[in-house]
Amino acid sequence: MDPAAQRAFDEARRQLVAGRADLAQRGFEALTRSHPDLPGPHANLGLIARQAGRLDEAARALETATRLGPKQPSYWNQLGITYRQQGRFAQAREAYERALDADDNYAPAVLNLGILHDLYLGNAAQALGLYERYLSLVPGGDAEVNKWVIDLKNRKPAPVAANQKEPR
């Protein structure tokens, strides 16, 4: 990235961190016009849009970021979060898996994939393995996820529903 673009990016990030999303958005939009091949401004526009509840816009911006920066696991992870919020669970899973293809030890994607399996896909066994993997990646552990692991280990399987009527 050229020095002027880096300064503009850093300034937009400072605005975002300071809670001035409107100024940050303008800065990132200017960068997407002057440097359309940079994935970072698109990713940040996606985060701003998602924070504002504009999920379709967020997904489009993050899709652009992943296309321009396919080796950046955080872009894929953020796209997965957006897809999950849209109810697009299969696409969310694929995005998290792409994040892990880029970096097998990217803990946020491991955790989010576990949450997806646990709460949205109903696959407790897969979720348990992912939560345990996440805990192995996080120095110092995570008390909340430890509770989730205990809960999954103690969870009883759901009763099997009969497919046919009982004979009379």
Side-chain angles (χ1 to χ4, degrees):
M1 183 180 316
D2 71 61
Q6 184 65 56
R7 284 190 299 277
F9 182 83
D10 292 344
E11 178 57 28
R13 285 283 300 149
R14 274 192 290 282
Q15 296 297 334
L16 187 58
V17 169
R20 294 186 287 272
D22 56 333
L23 293 175
Q25 181 171 337
R26 281 190 286 240
F28 291 128
E29 286 172 345
L31 275 167
T32 63
R33 288 188 298 274
S34 64
H35 296 80
D37 57 328
L38 294 177
H42 294 282
N44 281 285
L45 286 170
L47 296 178
I48 292 167
R50 188 175 72 216
Q51 191 74 17
R54 301 185 313 264
L55 296 179
D56 292 342
E57 180 183 331
R60 284 190 303 275
L62 288 161
E63 287 164 353
T64 299
T66 59
R67 190 179 72 253
L68 295 171
K71 299 286 186 199
Q72 181 55 259
S74 64
Y75 301 161
W76 288 107
N77 185 57
Q78 293 300 326
L79 180 58
I81 292 168
T82 303
Y83 284 156
R84 185 182 76 215
Q85 289 179 351
Q86 290 179 306
R88 298 163 63 182
F89 303 135
Q91 288 171 295
R93 185 179 72 207
E94 182 181 327
Y96 295 139
E97 289 171 351
R98 294 287 301 268
L100 294 173
D101 288 344
D103 179 353
D104 193 44
N105 293 317
Y106 187 66
V110 173
L111 177 60
N112 283 323
L113 187 56
I115 291 168
L116 183 72
H117 278 284
D118 188 8
L119 301 179
Y120 300 94
L121 301 178
N123 188 338
Q126 187 74 21
L128 178 60
L130 288 160
Y131 289 157
E132 289 173 335
R133 181 172 160 205
Y134 168 76
L135 289 171
S136 75
L137 295 171
V138 179
D142 182 319
E144 187 170 12
V145 176
N146 276 325
K147 291 176 188 174
W148 299 348
V149 167
I150 292 167
D151 177 60
L152 279 174
K153 287 181 176 178
N154 290 326
R155 204 176 286 174
K156 298 198 183 333
V160 178
N163 291 333
Q164 299 174 339
K165 291 183 178 179
E166 291 288 323
R168 293 182 188 200

